[in-house]
Amino acid sequence: MFGKLFGRDAERPGDPYALPVPRRQKNGTYPLRALGDTRVLALVEAADAGDWEAVKEALAPFDLGRDHAVLGQLADLDGVQDWIGRAVEEDKEHRATALLISGTRHISWGWEARTSARAVDVTRDQWRIFHERLEIAEEHLLEAAELRPEWITPWRRLLTSGRGMSLGPAVNQTRRDAALRRDPLDLETHIEWVSQLQPRWGGEPGQARAFARKAYAAAPDGHRLGCVIAMAHIEEWVESEDRDCLQHPQIRAELREAAERSILHHAYERRLGWQGDYNIFAMALSLAGSSTASNVFRELEGVFTEWPWAFMADPQTAYARFRKAF
């Protein structure tokens, strides 16, 4: 069980970095903490304490310029914004890393101010704070990208801030292309673009699905880019007023084939944060009413990640409900 749960091969028991399995909640599920890894937990704890020296030490095993999952742990941590500015100003040797963390955190912090409310329901003060924080994010991420031109994570995050700042398709396409030049199969960049193509952000119906299909067609068997197919359908469900819009045989077949060619393929690599990939497919397959969801839930063994279930009113309850149904 432990081998599957925290990303280790079943033949390699005793991973020294795996967090202990937490006590399950009443519904038999539990949120994934710190990507299930003691090294990531040490990083999160150092950042939570505002200890920049400890953060740098904890970052040693990781490459924030390419590791979206680890960077995401810092992006969502409240309080990082209170001390990271000092690191940006004072630590010239690690300025690029500090800028990347600061820019990424300011995007999340900006959206916290804006909230998930409809645009018409966001107050003038909320919009002001939102834009102030995104402006800082833009400045810091662009400088980080200039200092470390090989990094992909600044460009992926700049897609998010560009969408929030309404910078327009030309700017965002340039940023997308910059990211994909560094890694043509980068899943997170593709998922960001799937969001960008939604009608709520100015896209046209069907654009996201077409983009996802073309992108995944170029991926080798076992590549996690298959998740872009699942995410395109989830985004379509979010846009639709029909809660059963994914329950069509063709959609079920496409999702099943994508799962079998990506996360369920023998060549798929369960790297740090793989549970997020499985949660994307678990939600899409569940919404489509596909029996393949049972295979995905079985591999997860109750591990829940907030994304993409955050599109639902009570994410963990929805996960548990679908898991029980399949």
Side-chain angles (χ1 to χ4, degrees):
M1 178 182 72
F2 298 116
K4 289 191 293 182
L5 183 57
F6 289 112
R8 301 192 300 276
D9 296 333
E11 299 82 20
R12 296 167 54 201
D15 186 340
Y17 302 121
L19 284 172
V21 178
R23 179 175 296 177
R24 295 178 187 273
Q25 299 183 5
K26 289 183 179 180
N27 58 17
T29 70
Y30 52 88
L32 183 67
R33 183 187 183 199
L35 303 179
D37 191 282
T38 56
R39 298 166 299 175
V40 179
L41 180 60
L43 172 63
V44 170
E45 290 178 341
D48 194 39
D51 187 340
W52 177 234
E53 293 303 317
V55 167
K56 289 188 291 183
E57 183 179 351
L59 280 172
F62 309 112
D63 178 5
L64 280 196
R66 290 187 172 272
D67 198 324
H68 299 285
V70 174
L71 181 59
Q73 295 291 300
L74 299 175
D76 296 333
L77 187 61
D78 188 29
V80 167
Q81 69 277 358
D82 297 334
W83 57 265
I84 191 62
R86 293 193 301 275
V88 169
E89 295 303 320
E90 298 172 6
D91 192 340
K92 303 305 179 185
E93 182 182 356
H94 299 93
R95 180 174 173 85
T97 298
L99 285 164
L100 177 60
I101 295 170
S102 177
T104 303
R105 173 57 194 153
H106 274 82
I107 292 174
S108 296
W109 198 32
W111 245 276
E112 289 168 15
R114 183 202 181 283
T115 74
S116 59
R118 297 181 306 164
V120 295
D121 297 324
V122 178
T123 68
R124 180 176 299 179
D125 195 46
Q126 285 175 307
W127 280 119
R128 177 184 60 79
I129 296 171
F130 177 57
H131 281 277
E132 285 176 355
R133 293 173 181 176
L134 289 193
E135 286 169 2
I136 294 171
E138 288 265 318
E139 177 185 346
H140 286 189
L141 289 170
L142 286 168
E143 185 177 349
E146 182 178 0
L147 290 171
R148 297 295 299 270
E150 76 278 14
W151 280 358
I152 188 172
T153 49
W155 295 106
R156 178 255 170 155
R157 297 289 175 168
L158 282 163
L159 280 174
T160 310
S161 59
R163 189 164 67 245
M165 296 280 286
S166 300
L167 297 184
V171 170
N172 286 324
Q173 287 171 11
T174 299
R175 293 175 174 187
R176 177 204 63 192
D177 293 345
L180 294 182
R181 278 197 303 273
R182 288 155 176 82
D183 183 356
L185 299 179
D186 184 67
L187 172 61
E188 283 76 9
T189 299
H190 283 87
I191 286 178
E192 283 292 329
W193 199 248
V194 161
S195 292
Q196 180 73 53
L197 293 176
Q198 297 307 311
R200 64 182 181 275
W201 294 109
E204 297 293 332
Q207 268 190 307
R209 279 184 284 113
F211 168 76
R213 287 165 179 157
K214 183 178 180 180
Y216 190 46
D221 289 349
H223 199 283
R224 62 192 294 258
L225 189 57
C227 294
V228 76
I229 298 291
M231 204 64 231
H233 284 297
I234 290 173
E235 288 276 12
E236 185 174 85
W237 176 84
V238 172
E239 289 281 346
S240 177
E241 295 182 359
D242 178 8
R243 298 296 82 183
D244 296 327
C245 66
L246 300 187
Q247 296 199 9
H248 296 283
Q250 287 183 327
I251 293 176
R252 290 193 194 103
E254 182 175 37
L255 287 169
R256 183 186 68 251
E257 291 167 6
E260 291 175 349
R261 195 166 86 79
S262 56
I263 63 168
L264 299 179
H265 194 275
H266 64 84
Y268 174 77
E269 179 186 355
R270 290 189 176 184
R271 1 181 234 189
L272 197 60
W274 66 267
Q275 298 91 341
D277 296 349
Y278 270 66
N279 269 263
I280 290 174
F281 264 108
M283 180 172 171
L285 289 162
S286 295
L287 290 172
S290 171
S291 60
T292 307
S294 63
N295 299 335
V296 178
F297 281 118
R298 183 168 57 250
E299 293 296 307
L300 280 168
E301 297 182 310
V303 178
F304 159 83
T305 59
E306 188 75 19
W307 179 261
W309 300 95
F311 281 123
M312 295 187 167
D314 189 345
Q316 193 166 350
T317 298
Y319 172 100
R321 174 167 53 85
F322 279 122
R323 179 173 179 252
K324 184 178 180 181
F326 289 96

